mmCIF file of all heavy atoms in Angstrom:
data_model
loop_
_atom_site.group_PDB
_atom_site.id
_atom_site.type_symbol
_atom_site.label_atom_id
_atom_site.label_comp_id
_atom_site.label_asym_id
_atom_site.label_seq_id
_atom_site.Cartn_x
_atom_site.Cartn_y
_atom_site.Cartn_z
ATOM 1 N N MET A 15 -53.196 -87.629 -12.728
ATOM 2 C CA MET A 15 -54.177 -87.529 -13.837
ATOM 3 C C MET A 15 -53.617 -88.067 -15.095
ATOM 4 O O MET A 15 -54.217 -88.844 -15.827
ATOM 5 C CB MET A 15 -54.554 -86.027 -13.987
ATOM 6 C CG MET A 15 -55.653 -85.825 -15.096
ATOM 7 S SD MET A 15 -57.254 -86.327 -14.566
ATOM 8 C CE MET A 15 -57.778 -84.917 -13.616
ATOM 9 N N PHE A 16 -52.361 -87.621 -15.497
ATOM 10 C CA PHE A 16 -51.764 -88.017 -16.787
ATOM 11 C C PHE A 16 -51.016 -89.295 -16.712
ATOM 12 O O PHE A 16 -51.007 -90.033 -17.723
ATOM 13 C CB PHE A 16 -50.938 -86.821 -17.319
ATOM 14 C CG PHE A 16 -51.697 -85.529 -17.384
ATOM 15 C CD1 PHE A 16 -51.111 -84.328 -16.934
ATOM 16 C CD2 PHE A 16 -52.953 -85.418 -17.928
ATOM 17 C CE1 PHE A 16 -51.779 -83.181 -17.052
ATOM 18 C CE2 PHE A 16 -53.721 -84.270 -18.022
ATOM 19 C CZ PHE A 16 -53.092 -83.084 -17.534
ATOM 20 N N VAL A 17 -50.249 -89.503 -15.702
ATOM 21 C CA VAL A 17 -49.427 -90.736 -15.502
ATOM 22 C C VAL A 17 -49.769 -91.384 -14.193
ATOM 23 O O VAL A 17 -48.931 -91.385 -13.242
ATOM 24 C CB VAL A 17 -47.912 -90.435 -15.612
ATOM 25 C CG1 VAL A 17 -47.130 -91.735 -15.768
ATOM 26 C CG2 VAL A 17 -47.614 -89.539 -16.781
ATOM 27 N N PRO A 18 -50.929 -91.938 -14.007
ATOM 28 C CA PRO A 18 -51.361 -92.454 -12.673
ATOM 29 C C PRO A 18 -50.551 -93.568 -12.126
ATOM 30 O O PRO A 18 -50.649 -93.918 -10.960
ATOM 31 C CB PRO A 18 -52.812 -92.872 -12.899
ATOM 32 C CG PRO A 18 -52.899 -93.124 -14.414
ATOM 33 C CD PRO A 18 -51.983 -92.126 -15.033
ATOM 34 N N SER A 19 -49.740 -94.185 -12.997
ATOM 35 C CA SER A 19 -48.830 -95.320 -12.498
ATOM 36 C C SER A 19 -47.619 -94.773 -11.801
ATOM 37 O O SER A 19 -46.926 -95.551 -11.089
ATOM 38 C CB SER A 19 -48.477 -96.220 -13.622
ATOM 39 O OG SER A 19 -47.681 -95.454 -14.597
ATOM 40 N N LEU A 20 -47.333 -93.541 -11.975
ATOM 41 C CA LEU A 20 -46.106 -92.953 -11.377
ATOM 42 C C LEU A 20 -46.021 -92.979 -9.878
ATOM 43 O O LEU A 20 -44.949 -93.334 -9.296
ATOM 44 C CB LEU A 20 -45.914 -91.491 -11.954
ATOM 45 C CG LEU A 20 -44.574 -90.837 -11.627
ATOM 46 C CD1 LEU A 20 -43.406 -91.644 -12.154
ATOM 47 C CD2 LEU A 20 -44.568 -89.425 -12.297
ATOM 48 N N PRO A 21 -47.064 -92.606 -9.119
ATOM 49 C CA PRO A 21 -46.997 -92.634 -7.676
ATOM 50 C C PRO A 21 -46.651 -94.028 -7.081
ATOM 51 O O PRO A 21 -45.825 -94.091 -6.237
ATOM 52 C CB PRO A 21 -48.397 -92.211 -7.233
ATOM 53 C CG PRO A 21 -48.953 -91.366 -8.346
ATOM 54 C CD PRO A 21 -48.397 -92.054 -9.623
ATOM 55 N N GLY A 22 -47.259 -95.052 -7.682
ATOM 56 C CA GLY A 22 -46.873 -96.398 -7.231
ATOM 57 C C GLY A 22 -45.420 -96.778 -7.451
ATOM 58 O O GLY A 22 -44.772 -97.343 -6.643
ATOM 59 N N LYS A 23 -44.899 -96.371 -8.653
ATOM 60 C CA LYS A 23 -43.509 -96.646 -8.987
ATOM 61 C C LYS A 23 -42.575 -95.878 -8.008
ATOM 62 O O LYS A 23 -41.567 -96.445 -7.520
ATOM 63 C CB LYS A 23 -43.191 -96.290 -10.392
ATOM 64 C CG LYS A 23 -43.932 -97.141 -11.423
ATOM 65 C CD LYS A 23 -43.639 -96.644 -12.839
ATOM 66 C CE LYS A 23 -44.350 -97.567 -13.886
ATOM 67 N NZ LYS A 23 -44.139 -97.089 -15.234
ATOM 68 N N LEU A 24 -42.930 -94.671 -7.715
ATOM 69 C CA LEU A 24 -42.051 -93.842 -6.821
ATOM 70 C C LEU A 24 -42.145 -94.371 -5.401
ATOM 71 O O LEU A 24 -41.111 -94.482 -4.695
ATOM 72 C CB LEU A 24 -42.511 -92.376 -6.787
ATOM 73 C CG LEU A 24 -42.245 -91.579 -8.084
ATOM 74 C CD1 LEU A 24 -42.917 -90.188 -8.014
ATOM 75 C CD2 LEU A 24 -40.688 -91.470 -8.292
ATOM 76 N N ALA A 25 -43.313 -94.846 -4.970
ATOM 77 C CA ALA A 25 -43.410 -95.446 -3.643
ATOM 78 C C ALA A 25 -42.629 -96.670 -3.524
ATOM 79 O O ALA A 25 -42.018 -96.958 -2.444
ATOM 80 C CB ALA A 25 -44.900 -95.706 -3.343
ATOM 81 N N SER A 26 -42.582 -97.452 -4.593
ATOM 82 C CA SER A 26 -41.739 -98.711 -4.556
ATOM 83 C C SER A 26 -40.280 -98.415 -4.628
ATOM 84 O O SER A 26 -39.491 -99.057 -3.913
ATOM 85 C CB SER A 26 -42.145 -99.660 -5.729
ATOM 86 O OG SER A 26 -43.514 -99.992 -5.654
ATOM 87 N N ALA A 27 -39.879 -97.475 -5.469
ATOM 88 C CA ALA A 27 -38.443 -97.131 -5.609
ATOM 89 C C ALA A 27 -37.915 -96.465 -4.296
ATOM 90 O O ALA A 27 -36.747 -96.708 -4.025
ATOM 91 C CB ALA A 27 -38.306 -96.199 -6.787
ATOM 92 N N PHE A 28 -38.712 -95.712 -3.651
ATOM 93 C CA PHE A 28 -38.287 -94.964 -2.418
ATOM 94 C C PHE A 28 -39.140 -95.460 -1.250
ATOM 95 O O PHE A 28 -39.699 -94.647 -0.494
ATOM 96 C CB PHE A 28 -38.377 -93.473 -2.607
ATOM 97 C CG PHE A 28 -37.571 -92.936 -3.763
ATOM 98 C CD1 PHE A 28 -38.197 -92.692 -4.936
ATOM 99 C CD2 PHE A 28 -36.227 -92.685 -3.641
ATOM 100 C CE1 PHE A 28 -37.420 -92.170 -6.081
ATOM 101 C CE2 PHE A 28 -35.503 -92.211 -4.704
ATOM 102 C CZ PHE A 28 -36.118 -91.952 -5.893
ATOM 103 N N HIS A 29 -39.212 -96.767 -1.091
ATOM 104 C CA HIS A 29 -40.098 -97.375 -0.171
ATOM 105 C C HIS A 29 -39.831 -96.914 1.334
ATOM 106 O O HIS A 29 -40.735 -96.616 2.051
ATOM 107 C CB HIS A 29 -40.042 -98.913 -0.208
ATOM 108 C CG HIS A 29 -41.190 -99.539 0.504
ATOM 109 N ND1 HIS A 29 -42.512 -99.307 0.212
ATOM 110 C CD2 HIS A 29 -41.175 -100.410 1.576
ATOM 111 C CE1 HIS A 29 -43.261 -100.022 1.018
ATOM 112 N NE2 HIS A 29 -42.453 -100.715 1.912
ATOM 113 N N PRO A 30 -38.532 -96.860 1.752
ATOM 114 C CA PRO A 30 -38.260 -96.446 3.130
ATOM 115 C C PRO A 30 -38.738 -94.984 3.383
ATOM 116 O O PRO A 30 -39.271 -94.718 4.424
ATOM 117 C CB PRO A 30 -36.718 -96.554 3.229
ATOM 118 C CG PRO A 30 -36.368 -97.577 2.212
ATOM 119 C CD PRO A 30 -37.269 -97.362 1.075
ATOM 120 N N ILE A 31 -38.519 -94.126 2.369
ATOM 121 C CA ILE A 31 -38.951 -92.730 2.574
ATOM 122 C C ILE A 31 -40.464 -92.688 2.550
ATOM 123 O O ILE A 31 -41.094 -91.937 3.371
ATOM 124 C CB ILE A 31 -38.387 -91.850 1.396
ATOM 125 C CG1 ILE A 31 -36.854 -91.793 1.467
ATOM 126 C CG2 ILE A 31 -38.929 -90.455 1.504
ATOM 127 C CD1 ILE A 31 -36.200 -91.080 0.380
ATOM 128 N N TYR A 32 -41.112 -93.464 1.713
ATOM 129 C CA TYR A 32 -42.561 -93.513 1.618
ATOM 130 C C TYR A 32 -43.131 -93.947 3.019
ATOM 131 O O TYR A 32 -44.120 -93.346 3.548
ATOM 132 C CB TYR A 32 -43.065 -94.447 0.523
ATOM 133 C CG TYR A 32 -44.529 -94.636 0.500
ATOM 134 C CD1 TYR A 32 -45.365 -93.661 0.072
ATOM 135 C CD2 TYR A 32 -45.088 -95.854 0.957
ATOM 136 C CE1 TYR A 32 -46.765 -93.875 0.025
ATOM 137 C CE2 TYR A 32 -46.434 -96.079 0.939
ATOM 138 C CZ TYR A 32 -47.266 -95.064 0.524
ATOM 139 O OH TYR A 32 -48.641 -95.270 0.498
ATOM 140 N N LEU A 33 -42.566 -95.008 3.587
ATOM 141 C CA LEU A 33 -43.027 -95.470 4.893
ATOM 142 C C LEU A 33 -42.743 -94.472 5.986
ATOM 143 O O LEU A 33 -43.602 -94.281 6.910
ATOM 144 C CB LEU A 33 -42.371 -96.820 5.247
ATOM 145 C CG LEU A 33 -42.807 -98.061 4.493
ATOM 146 C CD1 LEU A 33 -42.052 -99.271 4.910
ATOM 147 C CD2 LEU A 33 -44.332 -98.248 4.702
ATOM 148 N N PHE A 34 -41.648 -93.787 5.879
ATOM 149 C CA PHE A 34 -41.279 -92.767 6.832
ATOM 150 C C PHE A 34 -42.321 -91.648 6.894
ATOM 151 O O PHE A 34 -42.778 -91.225 7.915
ATOM 152 C CB PHE A 34 -39.937 -92.184 6.500
ATOM 153 C CG PHE A 34 -39.445 -91.111 7.429
ATOM 154 C CD1 PHE A 34 -39.079 -91.442 8.762
ATOM 155 C CD2 PHE A 34 -39.338 -89.772 7.021
ATOM 156 C CE1 PHE A 34 -38.597 -90.432 9.605
ATOM 157 C CE2 PHE A 34 -38.926 -88.802 7.874
ATOM 158 C CZ PHE A 34 -38.487 -89.121 9.214
ATOM 159 N N LEU A 35 -42.757 -91.207 5.678
ATOM 160 C CA LEU A 35 -43.754 -90.129 5.589
ATOM 161 C C LEU A 35 -45.193 -90.716 5.935
ATOM 162 O O LEU A 35 -45.982 -90.056 6.631
ATOM 163 C CB LEU A 35 -43.819 -89.582 4.208
ATOM 164 C CG LEU A 35 -42.531 -88.868 3.739
ATOM 165 C CD1 LEU A 35 -42.668 -88.361 2.304
ATOM 166 C CD2 LEU A 35 -42.102 -87.805 4.639
ATOM 167 N N LEU A 36 -45.480 -91.933 5.480
ATOM 168 C CA LEU A 36 -46.817 -92.527 5.781
ATOM 169 C C LEU A 36 -46.980 -92.721 7.268
ATOM 170 O O LEU A 36 -48.140 -92.528 7.746
ATOM 171 C CB LEU A 36 -46.905 -93.869 5.072
ATOM 172 C CG LEU A 36 -48.301 -94.525 5.101
ATOM 173 C CD1 LEU A 36 -49.328 -93.717 4.387
ATOM 174 C CD2 LEU A 36 -48.190 -95.950 4.528
ATOM 175 N N ASN A 37 -45.946 -92.974 7.951
ATOM 176 C CA ASN A 37 -46.013 -93.200 9.442
ATOM 177 C C ASN A 37 -45.702 -91.890 10.160
ATOM 178 O O ASN A 37 -45.412 -91.959 11.379
ATOM 179 C CB ASN A 37 -45.056 -94.279 9.880
ATOM 180 C CG ASN A 37 -45.617 -95.672 9.412
ATOM 181 O OD1 ASN A 37 -46.508 -96.215 10.024
ATOM 182 N ND2 ASN A 37 -44.976 -96.181 8.360
ATOM 183 N N LYS A 38 -45.737 -90.777 9.475
ATOM 184 C CA LYS A 38 -45.692 -89.414 10.140
ATOM 185 C C LYS A 38 -44.394 -89.235 10.876
ATOM 186 O O LYS A 38 -44.330 -88.764 12.013
ATOM 187 C CB LYS A 38 -46.874 -89.254 11.037
ATOM 188 C CG LYS A 38 -48.226 -89.351 10.349
ATOM 189 C CD LYS A 38 -49.372 -89.490 11.326
ATOM 190 C CE LYS A 38 -49.405 -90.898 11.848
ATOM 191 N NZ LYS A 38 -50.561 -91.273 12.613
ATOM 192 N N TRP A 39 -43.312 -89.669 10.238
ATOM 193 C CA TRP A 39 -41.939 -89.519 10.795
ATOM 194 C C TRP A 39 -41.791 -90.355 12.088
ATOM 195 O O TRP A 39 -40.856 -90.120 12.888
ATOM 196 C CB TRP A 39 -41.549 -88.065 11.052
ATOM 197 C CG TRP A 39 -41.372 -87.182 9.821
ATOM 198 C CD1 TRP A 39 -41.880 -87.363 8.601
ATOM 199 C CD2 TRP A 39 -40.652 -85.953 9.815
ATOM 200 N NE1 TRP A 39 -41.536 -86.359 7.748
ATOM 201 C CE2 TRP A 39 -40.754 -85.447 8.436
ATOM 202 C CE3 TRP A 39 -39.894 -85.237 10.702
ATOM 203 C CZ2 TRP A 39 -40.157 -84.273 8.031
ATOM 204 C CZ3 TRP A 39 -39.315 -84.062 10.298
ATOM 205 C CH2 TRP A 39 -39.395 -83.586 8.976
ATOM 206 N N TYR A 40 -42.639 -91.310 12.246
ATOM 207 C CA TYR A 40 -42.606 -92.256 13.416
ATOM 208 C C TYR A 40 -42.596 -91.564 14.756
ATOM 209 O O TYR A 40 -42.085 -92.072 15.763
ATOM 210 C CB TYR A 40 -41.344 -93.091 13.275
ATOM 211 C CG TYR A 40 -41.424 -94.093 12.130
ATOM 212 C CD1 TYR A 40 -40.694 -93.900 10.966
ATOM 213 C CD2 TYR A 40 -42.206 -95.235 12.220
ATOM 214 C CE1 TYR A 40 -40.744 -94.781 9.900
ATOM 215 C CE2 TYR A 40 -42.283 -96.101 11.171
ATOM 216 C CZ TYR A 40 -41.601 -95.877 9.985
ATOM 217 O OH TYR A 40 -41.639 -96.746 8.953
ATOM 218 N N PHE A 41 -43.210 -90.365 14.851
ATOM 219 C CA PHE A 41 -43.337 -89.693 16.124
ATOM 220 C C PHE A 41 -44.167 -90.540 17.127
ATOM 221 O O PHE A 41 -43.805 -90.644 18.308
ATOM 222 C CB PHE A 41 -43.904 -88.309 15.972
ATOM 223 C CG PHE A 41 -42.949 -87.258 15.730
ATOM 224 C CD1 PHE A 41 -42.691 -86.757 14.465
ATOM 225 C CD2 PHE A 41 -42.196 -86.744 16.798
ATOM 226 C CE1 PHE A 41 -41.756 -85.722 14.243
ATOM 227 C CE2 PHE A 41 -41.251 -85.762 16.568
ATOM 228 C CZ PHE A 41 -41.022 -85.277 15.274
ATOM 229 N N ASP A 42 -45.255 -91.089 16.611
ATOM 230 C CA ASP A 42 -46.146 -91.845 17.528
ATOM 231 C C ASP A 42 -45.403 -93.152 18.044
ATOM 232 O O ASP A 42 -45.478 -93.420 19.206
ATOM 233 C CB ASP A 42 -47.441 -92.295 16.788
ATOM 234 C CG ASP A 42 -48.423 -91.150 16.681
ATOM 235 O OD1 ASP A 42 -48.666 -90.453 17.669
ATOM 236 O OD2 ASP A 42 -48.924 -90.954 15.530
ATOM 237 N N GLU A 43 -44.674 -93.773 17.173
ATOM 238 C CA GLU A 43 -43.958 -94.953 17.585
ATOM 239 C C GLU A 43 -42.807 -94.591 18.559
ATOM 240 O O GLU A 43 -42.594 -95.344 19.562
ATOM 241 C CB GLU A 43 -43.326 -95.659 16.358
ATOM 242 C CG GLU A 43 -44.370 -96.374 15.450
ATOM 243 C CD GLU A 43 -45.112 -95.415 14.592
ATOM 244 O OE1 GLU A 43 -44.862 -94.160 14.559
ATOM 245 O OE2 GLU A 43 -46.057 -95.876 13.884
ATOM 246 N N LEU A 44 -42.200 -93.461 18.333
ATOM 247 C CA LEU A 44 -41.108 -93.006 19.197
ATOM 248 C C LEU A 44 -41.671 -92.692 20.581
ATOM 249 O O LEU A 44 -41.106 -93.118 21.631
ATOM 250 C CB LEU A 44 -40.396 -91.775 18.640
ATOM 251 C CG LEU A 44 -39.297 -91.107 19.479
ATOM 252 C CD1 LEU A 44 -38.151 -92.111 19.700
ATOM 253 C CD2 LEU A 44 -38.803 -89.842 18.870
ATOM 254 N N TYR A 45 -42.772 -91.924 20.622
ATOM 255 C CA TYR A 45 -43.395 -91.635 21.913
ATOM 256 C C TYR A 45 -43.933 -92.866 22.608
ATOM 257 O O TYR A 45 -43.913 -92.910 23.884
ATOM 258 C CB TYR A 45 -44.511 -90.576 21.716
ATOM 259 C CG TYR A 45 -44.017 -89.223 21.276
ATOM 260 C CD1 TYR A 45 -44.947 -88.205 20.955
ATOM 261 C CD2 TYR A 45 -42.675 -88.905 21.325
ATOM 262 C CE1 TYR A 45 -44.510 -86.919 20.589
ATOM 263 C CE2 TYR A 45 -42.238 -87.623 20.994
ATOM 264 C CZ TYR A 45 -43.150 -86.671 20.584
ATOM 265 O OH TYR A 45 -42.764 -85.387 20.265
ATOM 266 N N ASP A 46 -44.425 -93.824 21.845
ATOM 267 C CA ASP A 46 -44.917 -95.017 22.459
ATOM 268 C C ASP A 46 -43.743 -95.740 23.113
ATOM 269 O O ASP A 46 -43.950 -96.302 24.233
ATOM 270 C CB ASP A 46 -45.479 -95.921 21.348
ATOM 271 C CG ASP A 46 -46.228 -97.151 21.916
ATOM 272 O OD1 ASP A 46 -47.181 -96.901 22.693
ATOM 273 O OD2 ASP A 46 -45.845 -98.230 21.554
ATOM 274 N N PHE A 47 -42.613 -95.760 22.500
ATOM 275 C CA PHE A 47 -41.427 -96.438 23.029
ATOM 276 C C PHE A 47 -40.851 -95.702 24.279
ATOM 277 O O PHE A 47 -40.466 -96.297 25.278
ATOM 278 C CB PHE A 47 -40.328 -96.602 21.928
ATOM 279 C CG PHE A 47 -39.036 -97.147 22.453
ATOM 280 C CD1 PHE A 47 -38.885 -98.528 22.789
ATOM 281 C CD2 PHE A 47 -37.921 -96.338 22.698
ATOM 282 C CE1 PHE A 47 -37.708 -99.028 23.252
ATOM 283 C CE2 PHE A 47 -36.746 -96.842 23.151
ATOM 284 C CZ PHE A 47 -36.639 -98.210 23.407
ATOM 285 N N LEU A 48 -40.769 -94.320 24.123
ATOM 286 C CA LEU A 48 -40.120 -93.568 25.193
ATOM 287 C C LEU A 48 -41.051 -93.291 26.431
ATOM 288 O O LEU A 48 -40.514 -93.264 27.543
ATOM 289 C CB LEU A 48 -39.623 -92.214 24.639
ATOM 290 C CG LEU A 48 -38.490 -92.295 23.592
ATOM 291 C CD1 LEU A 48 -38.218 -90.862 23.113
ATOM 292 C CD2 LEU A 48 -37.232 -92.944 24.241
ATOM 293 N N PHE A 49 -42.347 -93.131 26.206
ATOM 294 C CA PHE A 49 -43.169 -92.633 27.227
ATOM 295 C C PHE A 49 -44.366 -93.567 27.532
ATOM 296 O O PHE A 49 -44.585 -93.921 28.712
ATOM 297 C CB PHE A 49 -43.771 -91.250 26.876
ATOM 298 C CG PHE A 49 -42.765 -90.248 26.599
ATOM 299 C CD1 PHE A 49 -42.581 -89.667 25.344
ATOM 300 C CD2 PHE A 49 -41.913 -89.788 27.594
ATOM 301 C CE1 PHE A 49 -41.671 -88.731 25.074
ATOM 302 C CE2 PHE A 49 -40.875 -88.822 27.315
ATOM 303 C CZ PHE A 49 -40.777 -88.323 26.073
ATOM 304 N N VAL A 50 -45.072 -94.024 26.472
ATOM 305 C CA VAL A 50 -46.303 -94.785 26.707
ATOM 306 C C VAL A 50 -46.008 -96.141 27.374
ATOM 307 O O VAL A 50 -46.577 -96.509 28.416
ATOM 308 C CB VAL A 50 -47.106 -94.958 25.441
ATOM 309 C CG1 VAL A 50 -48.339 -95.825 25.639
ATOM 310 C CG2 VAL A 50 -47.435 -93.611 24.898
ATOM 311 N N ARG A 51 -45.103 -96.940 26.768
ATOM 312 C CA ARG A 51 -44.811 -98.260 27.291
ATOM 313 C C ARG A 51 -44.150 -98.245 28.683
ATOM 314 O O ARG A 51 -44.589 -98.958 29.530
ATOM 315 C CB ARG A 51 -44.008 -99.014 26.341
ATOM 316 C CG ARG A 51 -44.684 -99.397 25.048
ATOM 317 C CD ARG A 51 -43.794 -100.210 24.113
ATOM 318 N NE ARG A 51 -44.431 -100.371 22.771
ATOM 319 C CZ ARG A 51 -43.833 -100.995 21.751
ATOM 320 N NH1 ARG A 51 -42.614 -101.338 21.855
ATOM 321 N NH2 ARG A 51 -44.469 -101.130 20.606
ATOM 322 N N PRO A 52 -43.133 -97.346 28.926
ATOM 323 C CA PRO A 52 -42.644 -97.273 30.272
ATOM 324 C C PRO A 52 -43.680 -96.868 31.304
ATOM 325 O O PRO A 52 -43.684 -97.391 32.399
ATOM 326 C CB PRO A 52 -41.514 -96.173 30.140
ATOM 327 C CG PRO A 52 -41.122 -96.219 28.745
ATOM 328 C CD PRO A 52 -42.353 -96.552 27.948
ATOM 329 N N CYS A 53 -44.517 -95.941 30.947
ATOM 330 C CA CYS A 53 -45.599 -95.523 31.895
ATOM 331 C C CYS A 53 -46.585 -96.667 32.117
ATOM 332 O O CYS A 53 -47.044 -96.869 33.263
ATOM 333 C CB CYS A 53 -46.365 -94.329 31.319
ATOM 334 S SG CYS A 53 -45.465 -92.779 31.459
#
């Protein structure tokens, strides 16, 4: 509300962490690699 530019700056500064959270800790990708593709 007050500093709307702040989220974008934080996402850029901590981009790997942001992607880690955005991709839900990569559980889907991990399961895809371990179970879905081999099956």
Side-chain angles (χ1 to χ4, degrees):
M15 184 73 82
F16 304 134
V17 191
S19 62
L20 188 56
K23 293 178 180 178
L24 289 174
S26 299
F28 301 98
H29 194 60
I31 297 176
Y32 173 74
L33 286 179
F34 181 70
L35 298 180
L36 186 65
N37 288 284
K38 300 162 286 188
W39 291 24
Y40 290 104
F41 270 102
D42 283 313
E43 289 78 5
L44 178 63
Y45 289 172
D46 188 59
F47 174 75
L48 292 178
F49 303 114
V50 177
R51 291 181 187 175
C53 286

